Amino acid sequence: MLTKEVGVPGLLEVYRHPALVELMSAEKRLPYKQGKTRNYWPTENPANRRTKLFETWRTIVAHLGQEIPGASNALQLPPFEAPSWRLKAFEDMLDAVICAWVGICVFEGTVVPFGDDTSAIWIPQSELLASRRGRP
């Protein structure tokens, strides 16, 4: 388990929510889990919840597409009317791509490990990402 520095071979622990917050320079955790839409938007009807979920997914996919060439093409949203199991399958694919992106960030040097000598999670840092992209 890699806890302080990158080495090959190695194993990293990734937390998708903090990675997404940094990817999108968001102020808080993104509401992107399909099974929690009622918690995210309790006053909305099911169709509006799904609309909001799809909006969040589109935004995440667009950001990932800026980081990983071809990601936007690979992450095609399911049809709006798709059953819950298809939404969950898309969500799982999205999670996998987020984890792969964090792995890329590790080798680009845009992550920071949070933990100690025995365990750590690796989270991209928006400031490091911005400097790599040439943004202020």
Side-chain angles (χ1 to χ4, degrees):
M1 175 76 99
L2 303 177
T3 59
K4 295 282 184 188
E5 57 189 49
V6 177
V8 176
L11 178 65
L12 299 170
E13 186 167 0
V14 174
Y15 283 20
R16 295 171 314 278
H17 289 288
L20 273 177
V21 166
E22 292 297 321
L23 170 67
M24 301 178 66
S25 299
E27 292 184 17
K28 62 182 182 176
R29 183 180 211 171
L30 283 100
Y32 84 103
K33 294 296 188 176
Q34 69 93 21
K36 296 185 175 186
T37 58
R38 185 176 295 202
N39 293 341
Y40 298 145
W41 304 291
T43 61
E44 298 288 344
N45 66 44
N48 287 347
R49 287 184 198 130
R50 189 167 283 210
T51 297
K52 289 178 179 288
L53 177 66
F54 273 56
E55 288 170 0
T56 302
W57 281 352
R58 278 188 199 92
T59 303
I60 293 169
V61 168
H63 278 80
L64 286 169
Q66 292 175 349
E67 298 293 321
I68 304 171
S72 295
N73 293 331
L75 291 169
Q76 295 294 315
L77 271 63
F80 187 81
E81 321 71 40
S84 294
W85 66 266
R86 260 189 94 186
L87 299 184
K88 178 64 173 134
F90 175 80
E91 179 187 301
D92 291 345
M93 188 168 53
L94 190 58
D95 283 342
V97 174
I98 294 164
C99 290
W101 171 69
V102 173
I104 292 167
C105 290
V106 167
F107 287 103
E108 290 181 340
T110 56
V111 297
V112 175
F114 290 87
D116 56 28
D117 290 335
T118 59
S119 68
I121 59 169
W122 292 73
I123 302 174
Q125 297 300 291
S126 53
E127 299 84 17
L128 296 173
L129 293 168
S131 67
R132 179 182 55 89
R133 294 177 194 135
R135 297 182 193 157

